Amino acid sequence: MKISIIIPILNEAATICKLLSHLIQTSSSPNFIKEIIVVDGGSVDESRKTVTDFANTQKTSIKLVSSEKGRAKQMNTGAAAASGEILYFLHADSFPPDGYDKDIIQQIHGGNEAGCFRMKFDSKHWWLRFLGWLTQFQSKRCRGGDQSQFITASLFKEIDGYDEAYIVYEDNDLVDRLFAIDKFVIIPKYVITSARRYREVGVWRLQYHFLNIHMRRWLGASSEDLYRYYKEKVVS
């Protein structure tokens, strides 16, 4: 079995090559990676050229595909273009641990068709360190897209992939559905993810709004309501 790594991007020219290099250098074996698929949602910087130029220097297959903007749409587009038996969805600012590919394949061979890693932020802020500590627990309330997501292509198709109605909360929606059918495992190694959004917005302000989004979803808010709140309170 081989892995197709799927990375949605939007204006990530400054950092995407760092991630691509990391994925190649920290993989256990090039034989485990079928391809890396970078899904661009309409970047207006040099992201596309940067990815293409980097891909031309590598033996690992790196594909650039275009999609409508929206992480769920971009990840579904990447999955449709993938030829690996395992899909590994990764945010552009999240860096998996050494040997991540071997860890994922071992879980699949052990009968675990979906799951994620634990996560740490690249920050010493005590609250962000606490959030990272919580990711060790087998609870869907402690999950998020920054932890990355692996799933067999067959199971991804069976559950109809990401729900494109969600502009935010798309990762949690997928995890909720996987927990509902008892198809989720947490690998006890850490993805290191950027705290840049917290630095931009403010740790407490952003955390308050994220918790509000989760509470609204648990109380039955629609995907449109969640996105409206996010646009009003976080993005603006």
Side-chain angles (χ1 to χ4, degrees), residues 55-87:
N56 290 335
T57 68
Q58 302 298 315
K59 293 181 180 179
T60 301
S61 174
I62 301 174
K63 301 176 181 178
L64 177 66
V65 300
S66 298
S67 167
E68 292 184 48
K69 180 181 176 181
R71 195 173 273 160
K73 292 181 179 180
Q74 289 172 246
M75 291 189 289
N76 281 342
T77 297
S83 56
E85 296 87 355
I86 304 167
L87 308 177

Side-chain angles (χ1 to χ4, degrees), residues 6-232:
I6 299 167
I7 309 169
I9 67 166
L10 184 66
N11 301 324
E12 296 286 357
T15 58
I16 186 60
C17 286
K18 180 180 178 182
L19 175 59
L20 296 175
S21 294
H22 176 86
L23 291 171
I24 293 169
Q25 293 169 6
T26 59
S27 63
S28 299
S29 167
N31 294 326
F32 290 156
I33 306 299
K34 178 72 173 181
E35 63 208 348
I36 301 174
I37 302 174
V38 180
V39 188
D40 180 57
S43 295
V44 295
D45 65 357
E46 293 292 308
S47 290
R48 295 181 63 84
K49 183 179 186 302
T50 300
V51 171
T52 300
D53 289 348
F54 182 84
N56 290 335
T57 68
Q58 302 298 315
K59 293 181 180 179
T60 301
S61 174
I62 301 174
K63 301 176 181 178
L64 177 66
V65 300
S66 298
S67 167
E68 292 184 48
K69 180 181 176 181
R71 195 173 273 160
K73 292 181 179 180
Q74 289 172 246
M75 291 189 289
N76 281 342
T77 297
S83 56
E85 296 87 355
I86 304 167
L87 308 177
Y88 182 41
F89 298 97
L90 186 67
H91 289 183
D93 58 357
S94 295
F95 293 74
D98 287 355
Y100 64 92
D101 51 341
K102 183 178 180 181
D103 293 327
I104 291 171
I105 287 175
Q106 284 179 339
Q107 291 297 329
I108 299 296
H109 286 326
N112 296 314
E113 296 181 71
C116 69
F117 288 91
R118 297 177 184 177
M119 181 274 293
K120 291 180 181 178
F121 286 106
D122 62 349
S123 170
K124 294 183 179 179
H125 192 287
W126 73 268
W127 179 255
L128 299 186
R129 294 179 70 178
F130 173 68
L131 293 180
W133 178 78
L134 289 175
T135 64
Q136 68 184 292
F137 297 109
Q138 184 73 25
S139 167
K140 66 181 182 180
R141 304 304 183 205
C142 301
R143 308 277 70 85
D146 289 331
Q147 295 168 244
S148 67
Q149 170 75 60
F150 71 87
I151 183 170
T152 61
S154 58
L155 179 57
F156 187 77
K157 182 177 181 180
E158 180 182 326
I159 65 172
D160 296 323
Y162 287 95
D163 185 343
E164 295 182 6
Y166 287 94
I167 307 300
V168 296
Y169 204 84
E170 74 288 336
D171 295 299
N172 299 88
D173 170 71
L174 185 75
V175 169
D176 286 350
R177 286 183 279 135
L178 289 169
F179 264 82
I181 58 174
D182 197 24
K183 295 283 189 179
F184 206 88
V185 67
I186 301 160
I187 299 175
K189 291 185 179 181
Y190 290 89
V191 169
I192 306 300
T193 195
S194 173
R196 60 182 177 176
R197 195 65 174 152
Y198 283 94
R199 287 190 284 266
E200 292 168 359
V201 178
V203 170
W204 300 118
R205 179 170 179 259
L206 186 59
Q207 191 60 54
Y208 170 79
H209 291 312
F210 278 163
L211 288 173
N212 215 317
I213 287 171
H214 282 289
M215 288 299 298
R216 287 165 182 260
R217 178 66 184 89
W218 297 338
L219 292 172
S222 68
S223 58
E224 293 83 2
D225 291 336
L226 298 182
Y227 183 55
R228 190 179 305 113
Y229 179 89
Y230 180 80
K231 286 284 287 183
E232 178 184 345

